[in-house]
Amino acid sequence: MVTQRSNIILTAALLLPLSAHAWWQPTKDLSWQIVLSDTIIPFADVSAIDGDLFGTNASTWSDLKNSGRKAICYFSAGSSENWRPDFNQFAKSDLGSPLDGWPGENWLNTKSDNVRRIMTNRMDMAVKNGCDAIDPDNTDAYDNDNGLNLTTDDAVDYIKFLTSEGHKRGLAVGLKNSGEIVQQVVSDADFQVNEQCVQYKECDDFRPFINANKPVFGIEYVKDTPDQNAIDKICNDESRKDMSTLIKHMDLGRWVIPCPGQIAWTTSATSSNAFSNSSSVSASQTSAASTATPSTGIAAFSLPQLGGVAFALTSLVTVALL
Ligand SMILES: *[C@@H]1O[C@H](CO)[C@@H](O)[C@H](O)[C@H]1NC(C)=O
Ligand SMILES: *[C@@H]1O[C@H](CO)[C@@H](O)[C@H](O)[C@H]1NC(C)=O
Ligand SMILES: *[C@@H]1O[C@H](CO)[C@@H](O)[C@H](O)[C@H]1NC(C)=O
């Protein structure tokens, strides 16, 4: 006997689990590329591409999205950059000390309502451009002479603000570096992006993300073109197990050597040069990346929805039994 009331319960049971995670839930081992100082290549043979929110136009983001890849949009959430179009919206009191070695950038008072409003506007722009995720940088002011007395507690509060506002908008949100606060925010952030955890022996700090089946996107900087020994020294480092490590130049252009084991977008890459715009990717690296299970990336993306459907079906059976 299916009453109208149980129909309503049924509908709710179907809808609730499906909307519980309305944003991308990436899983560990995902392949990626990061390009901040050049135009991104939407059809690179990777599952996710991290590019500059302001430096990439909406049609490039939509090409990326239409190809089924995931767009991660980078912006600095913890520093002002005086060349950004919204820079004049920061109040003078929002700015702390200059960033060491980064001209035109100052630490931001992340407790300021005005700073937070500017960041949610950037998230709205990310949504409009079709970004699946954001990579908010410079959230580790506590580790620097920031001139604003910002602490790790302030950073945790800010990350919880950024993740909750991002999720409200359907965006996955990453944690950039910020190793000291991983335990407090690993359940909020959807992935982690770090620089040089192998080099500085900090990868253990980010292991909780891997344990939660969330990707850790690692960047290891090198000068020039490393030889195979140098590549192996990074890629064979046990501390980065299951992390999606890229060997990159400091300028974060297109040049890249991905460590093996990352789940590539597809085995049928249409271009031999698809992983990057670089010919320096060795044959072994390329095949290691592209012999990964076909379309596992797609499966990973649909798992939350499938989980939702399974939950909904279970609920349906339960309601029917009642
Ligand atoms: C978007 O950027 C790409 C790469 O720089 C460029 O080729 C394309 O013409 C741009 N499209 C628009 C509509 O501005
Ligand atoms: C930071 O703390 C010091 C010492 O308590 C204090 O003198 C200074 O005014 C504080 N600065 C800011 C920006 O709050
Ligand atoms: C990318 O590859 C194309 C084709 O090989 C080449 O013409 C172009 O200069 C490359 N761009 C970069 C930034 O390396």
Side-chain angles (χ1 to χ4, degrees):
M1 182 180 71
V2 178
T3 64
Q4 193 167 352
R5 189 156 145 254
S6 60
N7 268 333
I8 291 166
I9 295 168
L10 213 148
T11 309
L14 280 166
L15 290 178
L16 279 175
L18 288 173
S19 57
H21 287 301
W23 62 91
W24 178 42
Q25 309 262 287
T27 50
K28 69 177 184 181
D29 290 324
L30 202 68
S31 64
W32 73 306
Q33 161 67 306
I34 179 166
V35 179
L36 298 185
S37 68
D38 199 345
T39 51
I40 63 174
I41 302 174
F43 305 105
D45 188 14
V46 289
S47 304
I49 301 183
D50 193 337
D52 190 89
L53 171 66
F54 293 104
T56 309
N57 63 38
S59 69
T60 303
W61 289 128
S62 78
D63 283 349
L64 181 55
K65 205 177 174 66
N66 293 339
S67 77
R69 289 163 179 78
K70 296 293 173 180
I72 303 174
C73 298
Y74 169 97
F75 61 90
S76 181
S79 75
S80 65
E81 300 167 308
N82 65 9
W83 61 93
R84 297 302 186 184
D86 55 2
F87 173 73
N88 63 8
Q89 292 178 33
F90 291 114
K92 209 165 173 221
S93 57
D94 290 335
L95 308 189
S97 301
L99 268 71
D100 208 11
W102 298 94
E105 280 189 69
N106 289 71
W107 292 103
L108 284 172
N109 180 3
T110 54
K111 296 186 277 191
S112 147
D113 287 341
N114 185 49
V115 167
R116 292 186 174 206
R117 182 188 58 82
I118 292 168
M119 296 309 155
T120 52
N121 285 345
R122 289 178 178 186
M123 290 183 203
D124 291 339
M125 178 180 168
V127 170
K128 220 172 117 201
N129 284 353
C131 308
D132 300 286
I134 52 171
D135 173 15
D137 196 10
N138 296 310
T139 51
D140 54 358
Y142 60 82
D143 214 12
N144 294 274
D145 178 16
N146 59 68
L148 297 157
N149 295 340
L150 294 171
T151 64
T152 48
D153 283 350
D154 295 326
V156 169
D157 185 70
Y158 194 44
I159 295 296
K160 287 184 185 284
F161 164 79
L162 293 170
T163 50
S164 113
E165 290 297 324
H167 292 165
K168 269 186 218 164
R169 290 165 173 78
L171 296 164
V173 182
L175 176 72
K176 179 71 182 293
N177 294 324
S178 309
E180 284 171 57
I181 60 168
V182 164
Q183 298 289 355
Q184 289 105 301
V185 299
V186 62
S187 58
D188 302 285
D190 303 289
F191 57 93
Q192 205 281 331
V193 182
N194 72 77
E195 293 165 288
Q196 294 147 290
C197 82
V198 172
Q199 186 183 340
Y200 293 135
K201 305 193 185 310
E202 292 170 347
C203 295
D204 286 352
D205 290 350
F206 306 116
R207 178 76 33 203
F209 277 90
I210 297 292
N211 294 342
N213 195 25
K214 295 177 179 183
V216 173
F217 297 123
I219 305 164
E220 298 295 324
Y221 294 119
V222 293
K223 290 200 180 93
D224 310 316
T225 303
D227 61 20
Q228 194 62 42
N229 278 344
I231 295 170
D232 289 347
K233 192 163 183 287
I234 294 169
C235 294
N236 295 343
D237 191 301
E238 266 300 300
S239 77
R240 58 151 228 100
K241 189 176 183 299
D242 290 329
M243 297 185 181
S244 308
T245 306
L246 304 180
I247 300 174
K248 299 277 300 182
H249 289 157
M250 268 294 239
D251 66 356
L252 293 176
R254 288 175 188 168
W255 186 92
V256 66
I257 296 177
C259 284
Q262 299 176 37
I263 297 173
W265 177 250
T266 170
T267 50
S268 57
T270 48
S271 155
S272 59
N273 206 16
F275 209 108
S276 68
N277 204 35
S278 158
S279 56
S280 60
V281 179
S282 72
S284 64
Q285 298 287 323
T286 308
S287 63
S290 51
T291 48
T293 324
S295 69
T296 312
I298 303 172
F301 300 146
S302 356
L303 273 178
Q305 283 91 332
L306 288 177
V309 170
F311 184 89
L313 288 177
T314 314
S315 314
L316 190 147
V317 171
T318 311
V319 170
L321 286 174
L322 290 173

